[in-house]
Amino acid sequence: MTKTAAIIVAAGRGERAGGGTPKQWRIIAGRRVLDWTLDAFRAIPEIGEIIIVHHSNDLSHVSNLPELCVLGGETRDASVRNGLDALVRSDTPPDRVLIHDAARPLVSRDLIIRVLKGLDDNDAAAPALPVVDALWRGNAAGHVDSAQDRSGLYRAQTPQGFRFASILAAHEAFVGIAADDVEVANAADIDVQIVLGDENNFKITTPADFARAEQILRGAEMDVRTGNGFDVHRFGDGDHVILCGVTIPYARGLQGHSDADVGMHAITDAIYGALGDGDIGQHFPPSDPQWKGAASEIFLKHACGLAEQRSFKITNIDCTLICETPKIGPHAPDMKSKLAEITQVNVDRISVKATTSERLGFTGRGEGIASIATITLVQA
Ligand code: MG
């Protein structure tokens, strides 16, 4: 059976990324850059052995890793050489080797498989993306000197895959400093098949790259929550009702401790529900006289505040009012505007609709109004 190994080059100092600690040891989305990188390779069954090449100052960073860790050299080439030499010393050296930069933690399983497949029919295979932007050469003063032809140009990525014996011989013969192992292979006349790279497989270099990687990794585990709310208020004496913050003249009023805005209460409870944080009654006890006759806007604003504190954004609100009368439809646009103003959710993400209960039940008999609401929260 073909034996495949991977060398993860993690010996760089990564000063351009800032932050003091070399980038491969810095945390993104809760884990070190190298841990994300290793996960991708550990998940490929064909890869039997993984070697990590690290700097001598970073021994403490690798001490808990189960993989074989070897010291790097002065240059990237020297570090790769040390990784290859470690494989030579192993009982059965591999037939094929993938060489990858630790600072590309977003390497996907599909990309690694593409490189391995490329190696089935070629002496070497490496991922790259065609250059699509126009290219210029600039002068020292930051002005365009000339336009450059981009045809046939690629942006190189890793992992780069080789027959083990041939890349070992190429490294042994190589003189100078190479940007990557394809350059070393090229110098030894090894034919390298280009396989399709991946925009997400970028090398973390600048502080902005960390933010981008964090966003992508967090996106993969995005926290999306829905919440529902239900409320009922009974009719009593009065000459108006307040629904979703809008006052509607009516022959009766809704009874309740606060302003009895049944729609806004359902929406507020839906937000508390999505946050897993109780309900209106817990946050604003009816036994507390300060909430007597209170505008329900206070409750809704409180729920929105809690969501914001926990970095959640409300992405939609859907509220249904259930009653025979008054007619809701004519007031729905005002209700949506009012809710948008209170919640800071765009009005096109808010729905207020109404239904009757076909004259059945308490809403059908005109004894009160019910409301249900669903909302969605997304962690920002
Ligand atoms: Mg209520």
Side-chain angles (χ1 to χ4, degrees), residues 7-8 49 78 186 193 215 273 277 295 349:
I7 295 174
I8 311 295
E49 187 171 12
N186 202 41
Q193 163 81 48
Q215 197 174 29
D277 192 350
R349 291 173 176 269

Side-chain angles (χ1 to χ4, degrees), residues 225-229 264-278 299-308 310 312 314 316-317 343 345 373-377:
R225 300 166 173 210
T226 55
N228 71 66
M264 211 178 279
H265 292 181
I267 295 167
T268 305
D269 263 350
I271 299 169
Y272 289 134
L275 291 171
D277 192 350
F299 312 149
L300 183 55
K301 277 189 174 149
H302 176 263
C304 290
L306 282 186
E308 196 182 339
R310 296 174 200 178
F312 280 102
I314 301 170
N316 84 301
I317 296 171
T343 59
V345 173
T374 304
I375 66 102
T376 307
L377 295 182

